[in-house]
Protein backbone atom coordinates (compact mmCIF):
# COMPACT_ATOMS: atom_id res chain seq x y z
CA UNK A 1 0.00 0.00 0.00
CA UNK A 2 1.45 3.36 -1.05
CA UNK A 3 1.95 5.99 1.60
CA UNK A 4 -0.80 8.64 1.48
CA UNK A 5 0.48 12.17 0.92
CA UNK A 6 -2.07 13.28 3.53
CA UNK A 7 -1.91 10.32 5.94
CA UNK A 8 -0.73 12.11 9.10
CA UNK A 9 -4.10 13.24 10.35
CA UNK A 10 -5.83 9.91 9.82
CA UNK A 11 -6.17 6.98 12.21
CA UNK A 12 -8.22 4.54 10.15
CA UNK A 13 -7.39 2.96 6.82
CA UNK A 14 -9.30 4.32 3.87
CA UNK A 15 -12.16 2.10 2.77
CA UNK A 16 -11.01 0.00 -0.17
CA UNK A 17 -13.83 1.08 -2.42
CA UNK A 18 -13.20 4.72 -1.52
CA UNK A 19 -9.57 4.30 -2.52
CA UNK A 20 -10.67 3.09 -5.90
CA UNK A 21 -13.36 5.70 -6.21
CA UNK A 22 -11.08 8.56 -5.27
CA UNK A 23 -8.12 7.58 -7.40
CA UNK A 24 -7.36 9.29 -10.68
CA UNK A 25 -4.13 7.42 -11.38
CA UNK A 26 -5.93 5.23 -13.91
CA UNK A 27 -6.20 8.21 -16.23
CA UNK A 28 -4.07 11.11 -14.95
CA UNK A 29 -0.94 8.99 -15.49
CA UNK A 30 -1.10 10.56 -18.92
CA UNK A 31 0.10 13.77 -17.27
CA UNK A 32 3.40 12.30 -16.07
CA UNK A 33 5.58 14.35 -18.44
CA UNK A 34 3.79 17.61 -17.65
CA UNK A 35 3.91 16.84 -13.94
CA UNK A 36 7.65 16.23 -14.02
CA UNK A 37 8.29 19.28 -16.18
CA UNK A 38 6.39 21.44 -13.69
CA UNK A 39 8.20 19.89 -10.72
CA UNK A 40 11.60 20.52 -12.25
CA UNK A 41 10.78 24.19 -12.81
CA UNK A 42 9.40 24.52 -9.29
CA UNK A 43 12.47 22.83 -7.84
CA UNK A 44 14.94 25.06 -9.70
CA UNK A 45 13.10 28.08 -8.41
CA UNK A 46 13.09 26.77 -4.82
CA UNK A 47 16.88 26.51 -4.97
CA UNK A 48 17.25 29.87 -6.64
CA UNK A 49 15.28 31.45 -3.83
CA UNK A 50 17.36 29.67 -1.20
CA UNK A 51 14.31 27.72 0.02
CA UNK A 52 16.13 24.45 -0.60
CA UNK A 53 19.85 23.91 -1.17
CA UNK A 54 21.36 23.90 -4.63
CA UNK A 55 22.68 20.30 -4.21
CA UNK A 56 19.26 19.16 -3.05
CA UNK A 57 17.67 20.66 -6.14
CA UNK A 58 20.19 18.97 -8.41
CA UNK A 59 19.52 15.64 -6.77
CA UNK A 60 15.76 16.04 -7.10
CA UNK A 61 15.95 17.16 -10.72
CA UNK A 62 18.22 14.29 -11.68
CA UNK A 63 15.91 11.81 -9.99
CA UNK A 64 12.85 13.32 -11.71
CA UNK A 65 14.57 12.90 -15.06
CA UNK A 66 15.27 9.28 -14.21
CA UNK A 67 11.66 8.69 -13.18
CA UNK A 68 10.51 10.10 -16.48
CA UNK A 69 12.74 7.70 -18.41
CA UNK A 70 11.63 4.81 -16.22
CA UNK A 71 7.98 5.61 -16.87
CA UNK A 72 8.68 5.77 -20.59
CA UNK A 73 10.40 2.40 -20.50
CA UNK A 74 7.36 0.98 -18.69
CA UNK A 75 9.34 0.31 -15.53
CA UNK A 76 7.04 2.19 -13.16
CA UNK A 77 3.86 0.41 -12.23
CA UNK A 78 0.88 2.71 -12.00
CA UNK A 79 -0.51 0.83 -9.11
CA UNK A 80 -4.09 1.40 -8.04
CA UNK A 81 -2.81 2.10 -4.54
CA UNK A 82 -1.65 5.48 -5.66
CA UNK A 83 -4.19 8.24 -5.60
CA UNK A 84 -2.92 10.22 -8.55
CA UNK A 85 0.08 10.90 -10.74
CA UNK A 86 1.28 13.67 -8.39
CA UNK A 87 1.49 11.42 -5.35
CA UNK A 88 2.92 8.56 -7.37
CA UNK A 89 5.83 10.59 -8.72
CA UNK A 90 6.51 12.08 -5.29
CA UNK A 91 6.49 8.62 -3.76
CA UNK A 92 8.86 7.18 -6.35
CA UNK A 93 11.09 10.21 -5.86
CA UNK A 94 11.26 9.74 -2.10
CA UNK A 95 11.93 6.04 -2.61
CA UNK A 96 14.88 6.98 -4.78
CA UNK A 97 16.53 9.81 -2.86
CA UNK A 98 14.96 9.74 0.60
CA UNK A 99 14.23 12.83 2.68
CA UNK A 100 15.56 15.27 0.08
CA UNK A 101 12.67 14.25 -2.12
CA UNK A 102 10.29 15.28 0.61
CA UNK A 103 11.26 18.92 0.07
CA UNK A 104 9.94 19.18 -3.49
CA UNK A 105 6.39 19.95 -2.48
CA UNK A 106 7.41 23.07 -0.51
CA UNK A 107 5.09 25.98 -1.29
CA UNK A 108 2.98 23.84 -3.58
CA UNK A 109 -0.32 21.99 -3.43
CA UNK A 110 -1.71 19.35 -5.71
CA UNK A 111 -4.38 21.94 -6.43
CA UNK A 112 -2.08 24.35 -8.25
CA UNK A 113 0.01 21.42 -9.48
CA UNK A 114 -2.88 19.77 -11.30
CA UNK A 115 -4.04 23.09 -12.72
CA UNK A 116 -0.54 23.54 -14.10
CA UNK A 117 -0.37 20.02 -15.54
CA UNK A 118 -3.64 20.43 -17.39
CA UNK A 119 -2.59 23.77 -18.83
CA UNK A 120 0.64 22.22 -20.08
CA UNK A 121 -1.28 19.28 -21.50
CA UNK A 122 -3.76 21.48 -23.35
CA UNK A 123 -1.00 23.71 -24.66
CA UNK A 124 0.71 20.67 -26.20
CA UNK A 125 -2.58 19.30 -27.50
CA UNK A 126 -3.42 22.60 -29.20
CA UNK A 127 -0.16 22.49 -31.15
CA UNK A 128 -0.79 18.92 -32.29
CA UNK A 129 -4.38 19.73 -33.28
CA UNK A 130 -3.28 22.83 -35.21
CA UNK A 131 -0.80 20.76 -37.24
CA UNK A 132 -3.47 18.17 -38.01
CA UNK A 133 -5.97 20.85 -39.06
CA UNK A 134 -3.38 22.22 -41.48
CA UNK A 135 -2.83 18.76 -42.90
CA UNK A 136 -6.55 18.35 -43.47
CA UNK A 137 -6.81 21.79 -45.07
CA UNK A 138 -3.96 20.90 -47.39
CA UNK A 139 -5.72 17.66 -48.37
CA UNK A 140 -8.87 19.65 -49.19
CA UNK A 141 -6.96 22.18 -51.27
CA UNK A 142 -5.10 19.44 -53.12
CA UNK A 143 -8.35 17.67 -53.92
CA UNK A 144 -9.83 20.96 -55.12
CA UNK A 145 -6.82 21.70 -57.33
CA UNK A 146 -6.84 18.23 -58.85
CA UNK A 147 -10.51 18.57 -59.78
CA UNK A 148 -10.52 22.24 -60.61
CA UNK A 149 -12.43 21.83 -63.89
CA UNK A 150 -15.39 20.01 -62.41
CA UNK A 151 -18.70 21.79 -62.05
CA UNK A 152 -21.43 20.40 -59.84
CA UNK A 153 -24.85 21.36 -58.56
CA UNK A 154 -24.70 23.57 -55.50
CA UNK A 155 -27.54 22.84 -53.11
CA UNK A 156 -29.82 24.64 -50.73
CA UNK A 157 -32.32 22.54 -48.76
CA UNK A 158 -30.52 19.63 -50.43
CA UNK A 159 -32.30 20.64 -53.64
CA UNK A 160 -30.27 21.51 -56.71
CA UNK A 161 -29.84 25.28 -56.68
CA UNK A 162 -27.08 26.73 -58.87
CA UNK A 163 -23.98 25.38 -60.61
CA UNK A 164 -20.78 25.77 -58.60
CA UNK A 165 -17.20 24.70 -58.95
CA UNK A 166 -16.48 21.54 -57.02
CA UNK A 167 -13.34 23.35 -55.89
CA UNK A 168 -15.52 26.11 -54.43
CA UNK A 169 -17.51 23.54 -52.48
CA UNK A 170 -14.33 21.96 -51.10
CA UNK A 171 -12.80 25.35 -50.32
CA UNK A 172 -15.83 26.09 -48.13
CA UNK A 173 -14.67 23.35 -45.77
CA UNK A 174 -11.17 24.79 -45.85
CA UNK A 175 -12.67 28.06 -44.58
CA UNK A 176 -14.39 26.28 -41.70
CA UNK A 177 -11.14 24.62 -40.69
CA UNK A 178 -9.32 27.91 -41.00
CA UNK A 179 -11.64 29.40 -38.40
CA UNK A 180 -11.10 26.36 -36.19
CA UNK A 181 -7.37 26.77 -36.44
CA UNK A 182 -7.66 30.44 -35.48
CA UNK A 183 -9.91 29.64 -32.56
CA UNK A 184 -7.35 27.21 -31.17
CA UNK A 185 -4.53 29.69 -31.77
CA UNK A 186 -6.41 32.54 -30.15
CA UNK A 187 -7.16 30.43 -27.10
CA UNK A 188 -3.46 29.90 -26.39
CA UNK A 189 -2.87 33.13 -24.43
CA UNK A 190 -5.68 32.14 -22.06
CA UNK A 191 -4.20 28.66 -21.58
CA UNK A 192 -0.70 29.98 -21.15
CA UNK A 193 -1.13 31.41 -17.65
CA UNK A 194 0.87 30.04 -14.71
CA UNK A 195 -1.26 28.89 -11.74
CA UNK A 196 1.70 27.56 -9.73
CA UNK A 197 2.31 29.65 -6.61
CA UNK A 198 -1.39 29.65 -5.77
CA UNK A 199 -0.76 26.59 -3.58
CA UNK A 200 -3.96 25.15 -2.10
CA UNK A 201 -6.04 28.30 -2.53
CA UNK A 202 -4.53 31.27 -0.72
CA UNK A 203 -0.99 31.50 -2.04
CA UNK A 204 1.97 30.57 0.14
CA UNK A 205 4.15 31.96 2.90
CA UNK A 206 7.29 31.02 0.94
CA UNK A 207 8.94 33.64 -1.16
CA UNK A 208 8.42 31.89 -4.49
CA UNK A 209 9.62 33.50 -7.68
CA UNK A 210 6.61 32.88 -9.86
CA UNK A 211 8.04 34.89 -12.73
CA UNK A 212 11.00 32.55 -12.90
CA UNK A 213 8.77 29.47 -13.06
CA UNK A 214 6.61 31.10 -15.72
CA UNK A 215 9.65 31.86 -17.82
CA UNK A 216 11.06 28.38 -17.39
CA UNK A 217 7.78 26.80 -18.50
CA UNK A 218 7.11 29.27 -21.31
CA UNK A 219 4.04 30.88 -19.78
CA UNK A 220 3.06 34.40 -20.83
CA UNK A 221 1.48 35.51 -17.56
CA UNK A 222 0.92 34.67 -13.91
CA UNK A 223 -2.57 34.04 -12.59
CA UNK A 224 -3.59 37.01 -10.45
CA UNK A 225 -5.92 35.38 -7.97
CA UNK A 226 -4.91 32.18 -6.25
CA UNK A 227 -8.50 31.11 -5.53
CA UNK A 228 -9.52 31.55 -9.13
CA UNK A 229 -6.34 29.87 -10.38
CA UNK A 230 -6.90 26.57 -8.57
CA UNK A 231 -10.58 26.31 -9.47
CA UNK A 232 -10.61 27.72 -12.99
CA UNK A 233 -11.16 25.31 -15.86
CA UNK A 234 -12.35 27.88 -18.42
CA UNK A 235 -9.36 27.08 -20.61
CA UNK A 236 -10.35 23.40 -20.65
CA UNK A 237 -13.92 24.31 -21.53
CA UNK A 238 -12.68 26.54 -24.30
CA UNK A 239 -10.59 23.71 -25.67
CA UNK A 240 -13.61 21.40 -25.59
CA UNK A 241 -15.76 24.02 -27.28
CA UNK A 242 -13.18 24.55 -30.02
CA UNK A 243 -12.90 20.79 -30.41
CA UNK A 244 -16.69 20.52 -30.65
CA UNK A 245 -16.96 23.12 -33.41
CA UNK A 246 -14.11 21.44 -35.26
CA UNK A 247 -15.85 18.07 -34.97
CA UNK A 248 -19.08 19.63 -36.20
CA UNK A 249 -17.24 20.76 -39.33
CA UNK A 250 -15.63 17.35 -39.85
CA UNK A 251 -19.05 15.80 -39.37
CA UNK A 252 -20.62 18.03 -42.02
CA UNK A 253 -17.86 17.16 -44.45
CA UNK A 254 -18.33 13.48 -43.61
CA UNK A 255 -22.02 13.79 -44.26
CA UNK A 256 -21.33 15.14 -47.75
CA UNK A 257 -18.95 12.28 -48.48
CA UNK A 258 -21.50 9.75 -47.30
CA UNK A 259 -24.25 11.17 -49.48
CA UNK A 260 -21.96 11.64 -52.45
CA UNK A 261 -20.86 8.03 -52.32
CA UNK A 262 -24.46 6.76 -52.34
CA UNK A 263 -25.80 5.19 -55.49
CA UNK A 264 -28.38 7.98 -55.64
CA UNK A 265 -25.74 10.71 -55.94
CA UNK A 266 -22.83 8.67 -57.24
CA UNK A 267 -20.55 11.74 -57.21
CA UNK A 268 -17.55 10.01 -55.65
CA UNK A 269 -15.85 6.70 -55.22
CA UNK A 270 -13.99 6.13 -51.98
CA UNK A 271 -11.10 3.73 -52.41
CA UNK A 272 -11.44 0.26 -50.91
CA UNK A 273 -8.79 1.04 -48.30
CA UNK A 274 -11.20 3.47 -46.65
CA UNK A 275 -14.40 1.41 -46.82
CA UNK A 276 -15.71 -1.73 -45.22
CA UNK A 277 -18.14 -4.46 -46.21
CA UNK A 278 -21.17 -6.25 -44.86
CA UNK A 279 -21.19 -9.64 -43.16
CA UNK A 280 -24.38 -10.60 -44.98
CA UNK A 281 -24.71 -8.51 -48.15
CA UNK A 282 -21.82 -9.46 -50.41
CA UNK A 283 -22.26 -6.45 -52.71
CA UNK A 284 -21.89 -3.81 -49.99
CA UNK A 285 -19.13 -1.23 -49.72
CA UNK A 286 -19.89 1.10 -46.86
CA UNK A 287 -18.52 4.54 -45.96
CA UNK A 288 -17.85 3.59 -42.33
CA UNK A 289 -14.95 6.00 -41.98
CA UNK A 290 -16.87 9.26 -42.51
CA UNK A 291 -19.79 7.74 -40.59
CA UNK A 292 -17.55 7.17 -37.60
CA UNK A 293 -16.22 10.72 -37.76
CA UNK A 294 -19.82 11.95 -37.84
CA UNK A 295 -20.64 9.60 -34.97
CA UNK A 296 -17.70 10.55 -32.79
CA UNK A 297 -18.75 14.20 -32.93
CA UNK A 298 -21.38 13.38 -30.32
CA UNK A 299 -18.91 12.23 -27.73
CA UNK A 300 -16.84 15.40 -28.03
CA UNK A 301 -20.00 17.53 -27.57
CA UNK A 302 -20.76 15.30 -24.59
CA UNK A 303 -17.41 16.08 -22.97
CA UNK A 304 -18.05 19.82 -23.32
CA UNK A 305 -21.48 19.53 -21.71
CA UNK A 306 -20.19 17.21 -19.00
CA UNK A 307 -17.44 19.61 -17.91
CA UNK A 308 -19.75 22.63 -18.11
CA UNK A 309 -22.12 20.75 -15.84
CA UNK A 310 -19.33 19.69 -13.48
CA UNK A 311 -18.30 23.31 -13.07
CA UNK A 312 -21.64 24.97 -12.70
CA UNK A 313 -22.25 24.54 -8.98
CA UNK A 314 -18.73 24.71 -7.59
CA UNK A 315 -18.02 26.98 -4.66
CA UNK A 316 -14.55 28.52 -4.50
CA UNK A 317 -11.89 27.28 -4.49
CA UNK A 318 -10.64 23.79 -5.37
CA UNK A 319 -13.17 20.95 -5.29
CA UNK A 320 -12.53 17.33 -6.14
CA UNK A 321 -15.27 17.54 -8.78
CA UNK A 322 -12.74 19.04 -11.18
CA UNK A 323 -10.87 15.74 -11.26
CA UNK A 324 -13.62 14.86 -13.75
CA UNK A 325 -12.09 17.26 -16.29
CA UNK A 326 -9.39 14.83 -17.31
CA UNK A 327 -11.11 11.93 -18.99
CA UNK A 328 -13.20 14.41 -20.94
CA UNK A 329 -10.12 16.24 -22.11
CA UNK A 330 -8.11 13.16 -22.91
CA UNK A 331 -10.88 11.51 -24.86
CA UNK A 332 -11.73 14.72 -26.72
CA UNK A 333 -8.07 15.15 -27.67
CA UNK A 334 -7.72 11.54 -28.81
CA UNK A 335 -10.95 11.74 -30.78
CA UNK A 336 -10.12 15.01 -32.52
CA UNK A 337 -6.62 13.85 -33.36
CA UNK A 338 -7.64 10.54 -34.88
CA UNK A 339 -10.55 12.07 -36.77
CA UNK A 340 -8.36 14.74 -38.32
CA UNK A 341 -5.70 12.17 -39.12
CA UNK A 342 -8.19 9.86 -40.79
CA UNK A 343 -10.01 12.66 -42.61
CA UNK A 344 -6.81 14.04 -44.11
CA UNK A 345 -6.02 10.58 -45.51
CA UNK A 346 -9.57 9.85 -46.58
CA UNK A 347 -9.58 13.02 -48.72
CA UNK A 348 -6.67 11.57 -50.64
CA UNK A 349 -8.66 8.40 -51.32
CA UNK A 350 -11.60 9.99 -53.13
CA UNK A 351 -12.15 10.13 -56.85
CA UNK A 352 -14.87 12.23 -58.43
CA UNK A 353 -17.20 10.94 -61.10
CA UNK A 354 -16.94 13.87 -63.52
CA UNK A 355 -19.53 12.51 -65.94
CA UNK A 356 -22.11 12.16 -63.22
CA UNK A 357 -21.42 15.67 -61.84
CA UNK A 358 -21.91 17.10 -65.32
CA UNK A 359 -25.23 15.27 -65.80
CA UNK A 360 -26.46 16.41 -62.41
CA UNK A 361 -25.56 20.00 -63.20
CA UNK A 362 -27.36 19.92 -66.53
CA UNK A 363 -30.65 18.65 -65.17
CA UNK A 364 -32.98 20.54 -62.90
CA UNK A 365 -33.04 24.07 -64.34
CA UNK A 366 -30.05 25.22 -62.30
CA UNK A 367 -29.67 28.29 -64.54
CA UNK A 368 -33.04 29.83 -63.63
CA UNK A 369 -31.35 32.55 -61.57
CA UNK A 370 -28.99 33.26 -64.45
CA UNK A 371 -31.99 33.77 -66.73
CA UNK A 372 -33.61 36.14 -64.23
CA UNK A 373 -30.32 38.09 -64.06
CA UNK A 374 -30.25 38.18 -67.88
CA UNK A 375 -33.75 39.67 -68.04
CA UNK A 376 -32.79 42.20 -65.38
CA UNK A 377 -29.85 43.28 -67.52
CA UNK A 378 -32.35 43.76 -70.37
CA UNK A 379 -34.17 46.32 -68.22
CA UNK A 380 -36.85 44.29 -66.45
CA UNK A 381 -36.99 44.67 -62.65
CA UNK A 382 -35.56 41.67 -60.83
CA UNK A 383 -38.83 40.87 -59.08
CA UNK A 384 -40.71 40.86 -62.41
CA UNK A 385 -37.91 38.86 -64.05
CA UNK A 386 -38.16 36.29 -61.23
CA UNK A 387 -41.87 35.90 -61.91
CA UNK A 388 -41.42 35.54 -65.67
CA UNK A 389 -38.67 32.93 -65.23
CA UNK A 390 -40.86 31.07 -62.74
CA UNK A 391 -43.51 30.73 -65.40
CA UNK A 392 -40.93 29.66 -67.98
CA UNK A 393 -39.58 27.02 -65.58
CA UNK A 394 -43.07 25.61 -65.09
CA UNK A 395 -43.61 25.61 -68.87
CA UNK A 396 -40.33 23.74 -69.41
CA UNK A 397 -40.87 21.25 -66.58
CA UNK A 398 -44.34 20.39 -67.86
CA UNK A 399 -42.73 19.46 -71.16
CA UNK A 400 -39.85 17.66 -69.43
CA UNK A 401 -37.40 20.12 -70.88
CA UNK A 402 -34.57 22.26 -69.64
CA UNK A 403 -34.74 26.03 -70.28
CA UNK A 404 -32.08 25.69 -72.97
CA UNK A 405 -34.34 23.25 -74.86
CA UNK A 406 -36.96 25.98 -75.40
CA UNK A 407 -37.00 27.71 -78.79
CA UNK A 408 -36.47 31.43 -78.99
CA UNK A 409 -40.10 31.83 -80.12
CA UNK A 410 -41.35 29.89 -77.11
CA UNK A 411 -39.28 32.10 -74.85
CA UNK A 412 -40.36 35.31 -76.58
CA UNK A 413 -43.92 34.25 -75.71
CA UNK A 414 -43.01 35.13 -72.09
CA UNK A 415 -41.25 38.40 -72.80
CA UNK A 416 -40.16 40.11 -75.96
CA UNK A 417 -36.91 41.24 -74.34
CA UNK A 418 -35.38 37.79 -74.77
CA UNK A 419 -32.95 37.48 -77.68
CA UNK A 420 -30.62 34.94 -79.23
CA UNK A 421 -27.84 35.80 -76.76
CA UNK A 422 -29.92 34.22 -73.99
CA UNK A 423 -28.62 30.75 -74.87
CA UNK A 424 -25.18 31.62 -73.51
CA UNK A 425 -26.84 32.27 -70.17
CA UNK A 426 -28.65 28.95 -70.25
CA UNK A 427 -25.53 26.81 -70.32
CA UNK A 428 -24.96 25.53 -66.76
CA UNK A 429 -21.29 24.99 -67.51
CA UNK A 430 -20.74 28.67 -68.15
CA UNK A 431 -22.76 29.76 -65.14
CA UNK A 432 -19.99 29.80 -62.48
CA UNK A 433 -17.75 32.16 -64.45
CA UNK A 434 -20.42 34.87 -64.34
CA UNK A 435 -20.22 34.94 -60.55
CA UNK A 436 -16.92 36.71 -60.60
CA UNK A 437 -17.32 38.53 -57.36
CA UNK A 438 -15.10 38.20 -54.26
CA UNK A 439 -16.30 35.07 -52.50
CA UNK A 440 -18.14 33.88 -55.62
CA UNK A 441 -17.73 30.63 -57.53
CA UNK A 442 -16.04 31.88 -60.72
CA UNK A 443 -12.91 29.95 -61.68
CA UNK A 444 -10.88 33.14 -61.41
CA UNK A 445 -11.95 33.80 -57.84
CA UNK A 446 -11.75 30.18 -56.74
CA UNK A 447 -8.29 29.81 -58.24
CA UNK A 448 -7.09 32.83 -56.27
CA UNK A 449 -8.62 31.42 -53.11
CA UNK A 450 -6.89 28.09 -53.59
CA UNK A 451 -3.58 29.79 -54.31
CA UNK A 452 -3.85 31.94 -51.20
CA UNK A 453 -4.89 28.96 -49.11
CA UNK A 454 -1.90 26.94 -50.30
CA UNK A 455 0.48 29.83 -49.69
CA UNK A 456 -0.84 30.32 -46.16
CA UNK A 457 -0.56 26.63 -45.40
CA UNK A 458 2.93 26.32 -46.80
CA UNK A 459 4.18 29.50 -45.12
N1 LIG B 1 -6.35 14.16 -8.69
C1 LIG B 1 -6.70 15.50 -8.33
C2 LIG B 1 -7.38 16.22 -9.48
O1 LIG B 1 -7.26 15.77 -10.53
C3 LIG B 1 -5.46 16.26 -7.94
C4 LIG B 1 -5.69 17.35 -6.96
C5 LIG B 1 -6.10 16.77 -5.67
N2 LIG B 1 -6.14 17.72 -4.64
C6 LIG B 1 -6.74 17.47 -3.48
N3 LIG B 1 -6.64 18.35 -2.56
N4 LIG B 1 -7.42 16.38 -3.29
O2 LIG B 1 -8.05 17.21 -9.31
Amino acid sequence: MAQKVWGGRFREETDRLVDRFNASIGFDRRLYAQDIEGSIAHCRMLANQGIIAEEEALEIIEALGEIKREIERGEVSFHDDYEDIHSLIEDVLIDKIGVVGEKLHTGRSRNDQVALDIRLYIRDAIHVVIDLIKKTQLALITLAEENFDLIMPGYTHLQRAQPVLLAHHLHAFHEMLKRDLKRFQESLPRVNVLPLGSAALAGTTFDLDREMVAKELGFDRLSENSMDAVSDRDFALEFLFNASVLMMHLSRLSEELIIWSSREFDFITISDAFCTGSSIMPQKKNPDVPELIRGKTGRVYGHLISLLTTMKGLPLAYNKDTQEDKEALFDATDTVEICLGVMSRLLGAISFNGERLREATQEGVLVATDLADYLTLKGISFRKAHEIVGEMVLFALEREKELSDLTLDEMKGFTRQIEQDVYEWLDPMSSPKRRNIPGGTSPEIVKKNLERARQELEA
Side-chain angles (χ1 to χ4, degrees):
M1 173 60 71
Q3 197 75 28
K4 295 235 155 49
V5 287
W6 38 260
R9 178 243 183 271
F10 287 75
R11 287 288 163 266
E12 290 174 53
E13 283 293 314
T14 317
D15 181 273
R16 285 230 309 278
L17 194 57
V18 170
D19 260 337
R20 247 179 64 203
F21 184 61
N22 190 42
S24 51
I25 188 68
F27 44 89
D28 68 11
R29 48 201 277 184
R30 277 184 65 163
L31 295 172
Y32 78 91
Q34 288 82 2
D35 200 72
I36 289 174
E37 190 187 351
S39 287
I40 290 177
H42 179 65
C43 184
R44 280 217 178 95
M45 180 276 294
L46 289 178
N48 206 55
Q49 295 296 93
I51 300 168
I52 64 172
E54 193 63 43
E55 312 78 70
E56 292 174 330
L58 289 176
E59 206 180 333
I60 294 172
I61 290 168
E62 198 188 315
L64 285 170
E66 247 170 60
I67 295 172
K68 184 168 181 222
R69 287 188 292 278
E70 284 166 12
I71 291 176
E72 278 159 5
R73 287 198 298 264
E75 291 164 13
V76 175
S77 95
F78 291 100
H79 206 276
D80 279 356
D81 283 355
Y82 289 103
E83 190 176 330
D84 52 31
I85 188 66
H86 326 293
S87 26
L88 179 139
I89 290 175
E90 190 176 314
D91 203 71
V92 177
L93 179 71
I94 294 167
D95 259 0
K96 259 189 199 302
I97 60 172
V99 287
V100 174
E102 293 176 6
K103 297 192 175 187
L104 171 63
H105 211 50
T106 312
R108 191 174 70 167
S109 156
R110 280 181 299 157
N111 299 352
D112 58 348
Q113 189 177 355
V114 75
L116 169 73
D117 292 2
I118 304 256
R119 284 180 184 270
L120 289 171
Y121 173 85
I122 292 182
R123 192 173 72 181
D124 291 346
I126 288 176
H127 287 117
V128 173
V129 169
I130 283 177
D131 276 352
L132 286 166
I133 292 176
K134 284 187 186 162
K135 235 171 123 185
T136 311
Q137 285 179 292
L138 206 53
L140 278 166
I141 295 304
T142 305
L143 195 60
E145 288 164 348
E146 286 168 1
N147 296 281
F148 190 76
D149 295 332
L150 295 184
I151 292 172
M152 68 181 292
Y155 294 80
T156 64
H157 312 269
L158 205 54
Q159 306 285 324
R160 285 181 199 167
Q162 292 174 350
V164 293
L165 257 58
L166 166 65
H168 193 54
H169 195 128
L170 294 173
H171 179 258
F173 287 101
H174 167 274
E175 292 294 287
M176 297 177 210
L177 293 182
K178 188 170 155 179
R179 289 194 295 275
D180 291 324
L181 193 151
K182 262 203 116 85
R183 253 189 296 275
F184 279 108
Q185 265 170 353
E186 288 169 357
S187 73
L188 270 169
R190 285 179 293 280
V191 177
N192 218 16
V193 178
L194 179 81
L196 218 58
S198 305
L201 75 160
T204 172
T205 57
F206 294 98
D207 179 26
L208 305 187
D209 183 352
R210 299 187 66 203
E211 292 286 357
M212 176 183 167
V213 179
K215 207 164 160 209
E216 180 107 9
L217 294 173
F219 282 99
D220 306 322
R221 297 199 294 115
L222 307 181
S223 58
E224 284 167 19
N225 182 305
S226 57
M227 297 181 78
D228 178 43
V230 292
S231 70
D232 169 33
R233 292 294 181 274
D234 293 1
F235 57 96
L237 289 168
E238 198 174 338
F239 179 83
L240 291 173
F241 173 77
N242 294 343
S244 295
V245 179
L246 166 62
M247 286 302 297
M248 179 268 287
H249 291 148
L250 293 182
S251 182
R252 289 183 64 185
L253 174 55
S254 297
E255 173 67 11
E256 304 260 23
L257 300 180
I258 294 161
I259 308 181
W260 289 353
S261 69
S262 71
R263 181 68 184 267
E264 283 66 20
F265 272 76
D266 198 21
F267 286 177
I268 59 170
T269 305
I270 304 177
S271 84
D272 284 0
F274 285 81
C275 291
T276 58
S278 156
S279 62
I280 175 170
M281 298 169 284
Q283 86 286 9
K284 292 282 293 212
K285 183 176 152 183
N286 297 327
D288 293 35
V289 171
E291 285 172 331
L292 266 176
I293 296 173
R294 189 177 60 183
K296 284 176 188 293
T297 303
R299 63 199 278 166
V300 176
Y301 290 3
H303 295 318
L304 170 63
I305 296 299
S306 92
L307 187 56
L308 276 170
T309 311
T310 297
M311 298 304 295
K312 84 183 233 305
L314 297 188
L316 282 171
Y318 177 82
N319 299 273
K320 189 68 170 232
D321 311 45
T322 50
Q323 179 164 290
E324 292 290 312
D325 61 358
K326 285 169 208 61
E327 286 157 294
L329 273 172
F330 297 156
D331 187 68
T333 314
D334 291 344
T335 305
V336 162
E337 286 179 13
I338 193 152
C339 288
L340 282 168
V342 167
M343 179 58 90
S344 62
R345 292 162 65 94
L346 171 63
L347 290 168
I350 286 170
S351 50
F352 282 92
N353 183 348
E355 197 39 53
R356 180 68 199 124
L357 287 175
R358 171 179 280 273
E359 270 168 32
T361 311
Q362 279 169 334
E363 271 164 32
V365 204
L366 276 80
V367 289
T369 316
D370 296 70
L371 180 54
D373 290 354
Y374 168 86
L375 293 181
T376 306
L377 284 176
K378 296 279 176 184
I380 300 174
S381 75
F382 181 76
R383 193 44 61 216
K384 184 74 192 157
H386 186 290
E387 191 187 319
I388 295 170
V389 176
E391 283 160 13
M392 293 172 70
V393 167
L394 194 60
F395 178 87
L397 288 178
E398 279 168 356
R399 286 156 186 78
E400 287 181 24
K401 287 180 171 179
E402 290 295 317
L403 288 171
S404 56
D405 298 328
L406 303 182
T407 65
L408 190 56
D409 278 347
E410 280 171 327
M411 285 197 266
K412 276 189 175 296
F414 291 90
T415 169
R416 290 200 314 281
Q417 258 97 329
I418 296 187
E419 323 211 19
Q420 186 61 37
D421 62 350
V422 72
Y423 285 102
E424 256 170 66
W425 287 71
L426 297 181
D427 173 15
M429 294 302 150
S430 67
S431 168
K433 70 168 180 279
R434 283 190 285 270
R435 290 183 169 73
N436 200 24
I437 176 166
T441 192
S442 81
E444 196 183 320
I445 297 285
V446 175
K447 189 157 187 287
K448 272 193 206 137
N449 278 338
L450 296 184
E451 278 166 7
R452 180 155 23 84
R454 183 171 277 287
Q455 265 168 22
E456 279 170 14
L457 288 168
E458 284 172 355

